[in-house]
Structures are given as structure tokens and as C-alpha cells.
């Protein structure tokens, strides 16, 4: 379903963030990408979302080259992918409810669906009482949970979770990982980037290990090894 | 489609309402731009009136010999009237000239008495000629003095006025040109300032724009609310400016009218109200929309 083909990304002509990486991900897979800080995990996700262009190589989603898509077709591709950004990227001018509702508006959901689904999802991430707050009024972990709610709500085919538990306490970490596993069991492809050893080891799913931008391991039922 | 439009408008309105300080700033800058352009419009109206008024006062007079018949004079008048360069020809008979003279000098007892002593009407019949352009007066006076009618003519009262006429036209065309250049420069500055204010406002939202793109919003869905905001700013700024102008013109009209007799600023304002409103709306909304459009486009490339 997703294919990275000899992907190299060099920023500013000197930082090589990703170095000749190739791998494939099947539909409904749950893949973790691990590696030290700066190993290139976020960069890989950005490349898949066409936020960045690769210096060399190609990325395919359903046999379509992601970086050859016409600009006006790009939104359609992105609507298939829900992203939990490492830095949350909430819309600062909108409150929690509107942030989550926005992605439903984007896909053209009806007002009825929005008023039904948004409170439900906010309930799941335990933020129902913060619905009217703006992101600057939230704690780091609360922001992260808004980002999670936003990524999940349109029921995308693929979820990119970039360090989704980075700011969460052990209790919420477990909740979120259980949530992601359940969503995966229902058929959503999940790509998780993290350096949380415990999370990886509890999952027992495929693990791709990056080191300084290079792919050094790719194990089915992998463990966190650095 | 309709749902998307509704959401775009709602979102634009929300942003306008929430970013109070920013909205206040953009509305006031936009008001200044509209204010300037409206002032220039009114100023143009006033100078046009002044110039027309001034030019209307300029004419040349041909005086006919005492023995020329009215018929001959009217023949000259008819011929002159056919000339497209000439705006207007007015005939003043000897009797009319006398009446006017007496009317003008009725206070001056000695003059009236001496006039009575002369016994007959010493004044000459004349034609008052107004041309469309000052440059035509020389040609007209040459035609009269050297042309087929020279026998009839006593004198052409042009050379005496020549300098004044030339200067009046020179000044008025200078005023006009200066007005246009001044308007263009000020209008340009107003537009640039308003444009950059919008750009700065949207620069603040560049992060949001890229996020919207990354969660799959089409460029229209992102751009829309900013354009709606531009429209709201433009409309509110226009309405406020109209209000300010209506009140201002109403109160200052009488004072300005003193400077320019015969001109009513309020009347002019009223007569051109809808033209003005259109110009103001076009300025406000046009500027808001175009500058939002251009500013957003830059950040849509994600
Ligand atoms: N926009 C950018 N411009 C220049 N260099 C960048 C940019 N983004 C990332 N890099 C560099 O690319 C390398 C990989 O960054 P990346 O964000 O992919 O790491 P990561 O594996 O996600 O790290 P972390 O675990 O800390 O999130 C780093 O050395 C980083 O400094
Ligand atoms: Mg990262």
C-alpha cells in the first residue's frame, strides 16, 4: 500500500535527514519507526504527507507517486491520512471543539455528523470539559490528546502517529496505545514514530529502526533495540 | 458546496470577531485608504467646478462700428456659432449695452448726467464669444480682424485680456494636472499601506494555513475565510467612512461653500452619493479581497 523507494532527504544541502531508505507497508499493518532523536523519523512522515519533497527517491501510495500528484489533487490524498503531529499543530485561532470539527468540515461531513461525532471523540480523549478552550490554554498532554482526536475523527485509512505519547503520563499512554491498537484491528494502517521503548515492546508489532537517517533494522514482531 | 460556503463565511466571520485588535487595525487602515480616496474624489469635484467657473469668466468681445446693422452682426454671430471651437456667442445690442452701463453706474450721478448730455447712445453693439479652449482665442480674434467682416468691426477686445486669459488657462490646467498627480500618489500610498496591513495580518496566520493544508483542506477552503474577512473589513470600513463623510460634509459644507461661491459640497456629495459609495466599496472590498488573496497564496504552497 505504501512504498518508500530509495528515499534520501537532504535539508539545506548539508543535513542528511534520511539516507537511501526503502521499505513497504501493507494495508492494515501497524508499523513502528524507532530511532534516536534526529534519526529522521519525522522527516519520513513529512515526506509521505508531501509536506517535504525527497531529494532522491520515490514514495508510492496505492501505486501513485505522492510527489507527482497535482497540487489540486493533494488535499484528497491528505484526507486519507490522519496525522498526530509531534508538535501537535493545533489551529491557534480555533478552540478544541473547532479544531476537531475542522477536519470533518474539510472532508465535507454534514453538520449533523459533526455535532454527533466531535463530542464523542472528545469524550474518548477525556477532553469534553475543555471543548471551548483554545490551545494556548491547554497543557502539553491535553494538546497532544486534541491532536489525537483530530487525527482519528475522520476515520482515515492511514494514521501517522509521530510520538503520540511524548507528553502523556503512563495512564494516558496506555489508553492511547490501546486506542491505536483497536483502530488498527478495525482495519486502519498505522505508522507510529517513537523513541519510547516500553511502548514498542508492549506492542510486539513490526519495527523499523533508523540510525542517522539509515534504515538499520526491519523486524516483524520487533523489539526496541538501539 | 453550499455547506462549504456557509462554513467558509462562518469561519471568516469568527476570525474577524475573535481577533479584535487585528480587525480594529485593519478596519482603521482601510478606513484611511477609503477616506483618502473619497477626499480626492470630492476635491476633484471642487477643482473641476472652480476651473469651469474660472474658464467661464473668460471671453472676448468684438465691438461693431456704430453704423453696422443688426442684421450684419447677427450674420457674424450665426457664422461664429457654427464653429465647433466656439462654445457660446452672445449678442449685446447698443441698447442693451446702454442699459447695462446705466445699471452698473447708477450710483455715479456725474457719469449718468454726462451721458444724458451726449444725447445719443455712445456704446457699441458687441458679441461676447466664449471658446472651449483658451488657445482658440487668438485664432478667433485674427479671423474677426482680418476676415471678411473686418469692415464691420471697430475693435476686438482681446489683446487687452490676452495675458489674463492665457494665465487663467495655464493655472487651471496646472491645478488639474497637480490634482491628478497628487491623487495618484496619495491613492497609491493608501493602497500600499492597506495592502501591507492585510499581508502582515495574514503573515501571522501562515502557520495555520500550512496546518489546514496538511489536514487536507483544499486551497479554496483555506483561502475562503481570509477573503470573507477581507470583505467584512472592506464593508465595515466603507460604512464607517460613509458615516464620517456624511456627518463631516453636512457640517462643513456651509464653510467650504463660502470659499467657492456657487458650489455646494453637500449638494455635490448628495448628487454623487452612489457613485461615491460604489468607489468606496470597490476600494474597501477590492483591496481587502485582492490583498488577502495575494497574501494567502504565498503560504498555500504546502
Ligand atoms: N526543516 C529542516 N531543515 C533543516 N534540517 C532539518 C529540518 N527538519 C529536520 N532537520 C534535521 O533532520 C534531521 C532529522 O530530523 P527529524 O525531525 O526527522 O528527526 P526525528 O527522528 O523525528 O527526531 P525526534 O525523535 O527528535 O523527533 C535532524 O538532524 C534535524 O536537525
Ligand atoms: Mg520527530
Amino acid at each position: 500500500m505504501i512504498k518508500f523507494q530509495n528515499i534520501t532527504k537532504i535539508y539545506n544541502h548539508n543535513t542528511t535527514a534520511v539516507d537511501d531508505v526503502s521499505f513497504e507497508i501493507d494495508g492494515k499493518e501497524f508499523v513502528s519507526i524507532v530511532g534516536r532523536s534526529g534519526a529522521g523519523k519525522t522527516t519520513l512522515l513529512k515526506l509521505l504527507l508531501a509536506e517535504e519533497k525527497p531529494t532522491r527517491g520515490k514514495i508510492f501510495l496505492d501505486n501513485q507517486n505522492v510527489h507527482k500528484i497535482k497540487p489540486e489533487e493533494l488535499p484528497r490524498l491528505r484526507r486519507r491520512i490522519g496525522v498526530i503531529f509531534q508538535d501537535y499543530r493545533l489551529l491557534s485561532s480555533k478552540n478544541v471543539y473547532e479544531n476537531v470539527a475542522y477536519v470533518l468540515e474539510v472532508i465535507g461531513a454534514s453538520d449533523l455528523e459533526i455535532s454527533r461525532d466531535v463530542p464523542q471523540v472528545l469524550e474518548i480523549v477525556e477532553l469534553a470539559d475543555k471543548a471551548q478552550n483554545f490551545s494556548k490554554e491547554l497543557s502539553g498532554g491535553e494538546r497532544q490528546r486534541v491532536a489525537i482526536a483530530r487525527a482519528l475523527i475522520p476515520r482515515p485509512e492511514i494514521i501517522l502517529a509521530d510520538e503520540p505519547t511524548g507528553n502523556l503520563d503512563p495512564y494516558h499512554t496506555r489508553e492511547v496505545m490501546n486506542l491505536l491498537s483497536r483502530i488498527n484491528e478495525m482495519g486502519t494502517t498505522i505508522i507510529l514514530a517513537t523513541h519510547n521503548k516500553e511502548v514498542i515492546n508492549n506492542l510486539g508489532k513490526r519495527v523499523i529502526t533508523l540510525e542517522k537517517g539509515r534504515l538499520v533494522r526491519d523486524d516483524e514482531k520487533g523489539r526496541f533495540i538501539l | 458546496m453550499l455547506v462549504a460556503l456557509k462554513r467558509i463565511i462562518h469561519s471568516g466571520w469568527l476570525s474577524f470577531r475573535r481577533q479584535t485588535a487585528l480587525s480594529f487595525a485593519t478596519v482603521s487602515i482601510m478606513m484611511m485608504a477609503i477616506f483618502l480616496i473619497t477626499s480626492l474624489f470630492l476635491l476633484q469635484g471642487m477643482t473641476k467646478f472652480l476651473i469651469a467657473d474660472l474658464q467661464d469668466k473668460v471671453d472676448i468681445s468684438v465691438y461693431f462700428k456704430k453704423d453696422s446693422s443688426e442684421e450684419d452682426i447677427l450674420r457674424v454671430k450665426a457664422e461664429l456659432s457654427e464653429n465647433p471651437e466656439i462654445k457660446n456667442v452672445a449678442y449685446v445690442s447698443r441698447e442693451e449695452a446702454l442699459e447695462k452701463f446705466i445699471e452698473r453706474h447708477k450710483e455715479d450721478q456725474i457719469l449718468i448726467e454726462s451721458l444724458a448730455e451726449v444725447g445719443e447712445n455712445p456704446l457699441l453693439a458687441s458679441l461676447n464669444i466664449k471658446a472651449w479652449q483658451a488657445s482658440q482665442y487668438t485664432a478667433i480674434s485674427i479671423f474677426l480682424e482680418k476676415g471678411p467682416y473686418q469692415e464691420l468691426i471697430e475693435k476686438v477686445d482681446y489683446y487687452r485680456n490676452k495675458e489674463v486669459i492665457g494665465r487663467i488657462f495655464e493655472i487651471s490646467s496646472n491645478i488639474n494636472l497637480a490634482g491628478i498627480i497628487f491623487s495618484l500618489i496619495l491613492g497609491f500610498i493608501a493602497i500600499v499601506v492597506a495592502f501591507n496591513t492585510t499581508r502582515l495580518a495574514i503573515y501571522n496566520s501562515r502557520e495555520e494555513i500550512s496546518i489546514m493544508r496538511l489536514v487536507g483542506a483544499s486551497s479554496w477552503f483555506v483561502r475562503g475565510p481570509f477573503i470573507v474577512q477581507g470583505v467584512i473589513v472592506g464593508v465595515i470600513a466603507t460604512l464607517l467612512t460613509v458615516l464620517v463623510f456624511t456627518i463631516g460634509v453636512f457640517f462643513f459644507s456651509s464653510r467650504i461653500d463660502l470659499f467657492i461661491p456657487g458650489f455646494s459640497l453637500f449638494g455635490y456629495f448628495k448628487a454623487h452619493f452612489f457613485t461615491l459609495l460604489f468607489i468606496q466599496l470597490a476600494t474597501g472590498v477590492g483591496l481587502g479581497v485582492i490583498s488577502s488573496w495575494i497574501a494567502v497564496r504565498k503560504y498555500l504552497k504546502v
Side-chain angles (χ1 to χ4, degrees):
Chain A
M1 185 192 200
I2 300 165
K3 190 155 104 187
F4 282 71
Q5 209 174 66
N6 304 100
I7 285 291
T8 297
K9 174 67 186 177
I10 303 172
Y11 286 111
N12 306 331
H13 305 290
N14 48 35
T15 317
T16 305
V18 176
D19 193 358
D20 196 24
V21 167
S22 301
F23 61 90
E24 276 184 52
I25 296 174
D26 293 329
K28 306 184 180 175
E29 243 189 300
F30 194 136
V31 181
S32 304
I33 300 173
V34 302
R36 291 215 175 93
S37 180
K41 306 180 293 290
T42 300
T43 302
L44 271 186
L45 301 184
K46 281 182 176 172
L47 289 166
L48 176 56
L49 200 61
E51 185 183 351
E52 295 281 357
K53 276 195 182 325
T55 312
R56 280 186 293 278
K58 292 172 187 152
I59 298 175
F60 293 94
L61 176 60
D62 286 344
N63 298 321
Q64 193 177 23
N65 186 335
V66 167
H67 297 97
K68 287 277 187 289
I69 292 177
K70 284 192 236 117
E72 58 271 25
E73 295 289 326
L74 202 51
R76 217 193 316 227
L77 171 100
R78 285 174 174 163
R79 284 173 210 162
R80 298 174 59 188
I81 306 174
V83 189
I84 305 166
F85 295 99
Q86 186 171 16
D87 47 357
Y88 324 133
R89 302 219 184 163
L90 304 182
L91 299 167
S92 57
S93 68
K94 296 188 188 298
N95 63 32
V96 167
Y97 183 96
E98 290 161 351
N99 259 282
V100 177
Y102 187 77
V103 288
L104 289 183
E105 290 184 1
V106 160
I107 61 170
S110 70
D111 289 347
L112 203 74
E113 288 171 285
I114 292 176
S115 57
R116 185 193 62 203
D117 289 2
V118 176
Q120 242 174 44
V121 171
L122 288 181
E123 201 68 55
I124 293 173
V125 295
E126 296 176 32
L127 281 175
D129 55 332
K130 299 281 183 187
Q132 300 306 318
N133 289 49
F134 288 86
S135 79
K136 64 169 182 288
E137 303 162 346
L138 301 176
S139 74
E142 285 167 341
R143 281 176 212 178
Q144 189 143 38
R145 281 181 279 149
V146 179
I148 292 167
R150 182 177 65 181
L152 303 186
I153 199 164
R155 301 173 216 276
E157 291 169 55
I158 303 161
I159 287 177
L160 308 183
D162 195 353
E163 211 65 71
T165 57
N167 246 314
L168 301 183
D169 54 69
Y171 163 74
H172 279 111
T173 300
R174 221 171 319 124
E175 291 286 303
V176 166
M177 290 318 298
N178 285 340
L179 189 61
L180 287 178
S181 296
R182 276 212 309 279
I183 289 168
N184 173 244
E185 277 158 25
M186 291 191 299
T188 307
T189 308
I190 294 182
I191 304 176
L192 167 73
T194 184
H195 34 52
N196 188 326
K197 183 174 177 176
E198 210 174 327
V199 162
I200 297 296
N201 292 345
N202 286 341
L203 268 173
K205 296 258 165 75
R206 179 178 170 195
V207 176
I208 291 171
T209 309
L210 292 180
E211 212 176 284
K212 292 181 181 149
R214 295 180 151 275
L215 193 157
V216 292
R217 310 171 66 92
D218 186 348
D219 313 302
E220 291 303 321
K221 301 216 181 288
R223 295 186 66 78
F224 191 89
I225 306 164
L226 273 180
Chain B
M1 202 42 218
L2 221 59
V3 176
L5 191 66
K6 194 197 84 190
R7 285 172 183 166
I8 284 171
I9 293 172
H10 180 70
S11 170
W13 168 244
L14 263 189
S15 311
F16 176 80
R17 236 189 41 201
R18 280 182 183 161
Q19 302 167 312
T20 329
L22 197 67
S23 301
F24 182 77
T26 44
V27 166
S28 28
I29 293 285
M30 200 60 86
M31 270 181 76
M32 268 193 302
I34 299 172
F35 192 92
L36 248 166
I37 282 167
T38 312
S39 310
L40 294 174
F41 184 85
L42 292 182
L43 216 65
Q44 272 279 306
M46 278 194 279
T47 43
K48 267 208 196 104
F49 177 85
L50 261 178
I51 288 166
D53 194 47
L54 221 56
Q55 292 187 340
D56 212 43
K57 292 208 168 86
V58 171
D59 60 10
I60 58 175
S61 300
V62 216
Y63 293 94
F64 291 86
K65 288 184 175 147
K66 257 189 198 154
D67 50 5
S68 3
S69 70
E70 188 160 86
E71 223 170 283
D72 286 337
I73 298 173
L74 287 177
R75 206 143 34 83
V76 177
K77 177 176 188 261
E79 179 157 341
L80 286 172
S81 301
E82 271 167 28
N83 187 333
E85 306 288 355
I86 290 174
K87 187 175 161 190
N88 181 23
V89 187
Y91 171 56
V92 181
S93 67
R94 294 183 62 196
E95 292 72 32
E96 279 167 348
L98 184 66
E99 268 168 38
K100 273 189 198 158
F101 185 86
I102 293 173
E103 177 66 25
R104 205 164 35 214
H105 298 285
K106 62 174 179 259
E107 316 282 284
D108 193 342
Q109 210 52 45
I110 302 168
L111 197 67
I112 300 293
E113 269 167 31
S114 54
L115 191 66
E117 228 155 275
V118 174
E120 60 155 355
N121 182 356
L123 297 174
L124 300 174
S126 63
L127 287 177
N128 271 311
I129 304 164
K130 282 185 180 150
W132 293 107
Q133 279 181 337
S135 51
Q136 295 305 321
Y137 285 120
T138 314
I140 293 167
S141 65
I142 288 173
F143 165 76
L144 291 168
E145 286 180 329
K146 304 274 157 24
Y149 303 112
Q150 74 182 86
E151 294 301 317
L152 298 171
I153 289 165
E154 174 79 28
K155 66 170 185 208
V156 177
D157 203 353
Y158 167 61
Y159 294 102
R160 208 187 64 202
N161 293 338
K162 190 175 174 191
E163 219 162 288
V164 181
I165 292 174
R167 281 200 44 103
I168 284 176
F169 276 88
E170 196 182 316
I171 289 171
S172 58
S173 74
N174 278 348
I175 288 176
N176 222 348
L177 187 70
I180 289 170
I181 291 174
F182 189 64
S183 307
L184 285 180
I185 292 174
L186 280 187
F188 181 73
I189 291 173
I191 286 170
V192 168
V193 170
F195 179 70
N196 281 320
T197 309
T198 313
R199 267 192 13 178
L200 263 168
I202 288 176
Y203 176 79
N204 271 324
S205 304
R206 66 196 185 286
E207 188 67 32
E208 295 227 331
I209 292 172
S210 68
I211 296 170
M212 290 169 175
R213 289 292 283 165
L214 290 177
V215 300
S218 68
S219 53
W220 268 108
F221 203 71
V222 176
R223 187 190 280 137
F226 289 99
I227 289 176
V228 169
Q229 245 176 303
V231 171
I232 295 173
V233 167
V235 169
I236 290 181
T238 302
L239 293 180
L240 288 177
T241 317
V242 167
L243 200 72
V244 168
F245 261 94
T246 312
I247 294 170
V249 165
F250 186 75
F251 281 107
F252 289 107
S253 186
S254 55
R255 238 170 270 181
I256 288 168
D257 297 352
L258 283 184
F259 286 108
I260 315 169
F263 181 75
S264 159
L265 186 62
F266 191 67
Y268 185 81
F269 184 72
K270 242 171 53 186
H272 293 84
F273 186 78
F274 286 102
T275 317
L276 248 177
L277 191 66
F278 177 76
I279 291 175
Q280 291 173 324
L281 266 179
T283 312
V285 175
L287 258 179
V289 168
I290 292 170
S291 42
S292 304
W293 183 297
I294 293 173
V296 174
R297 197 178 56 172
K298 201 164 139 194
Y299 306 115
L300 275 178
K301 289 178 186 142
V302 183

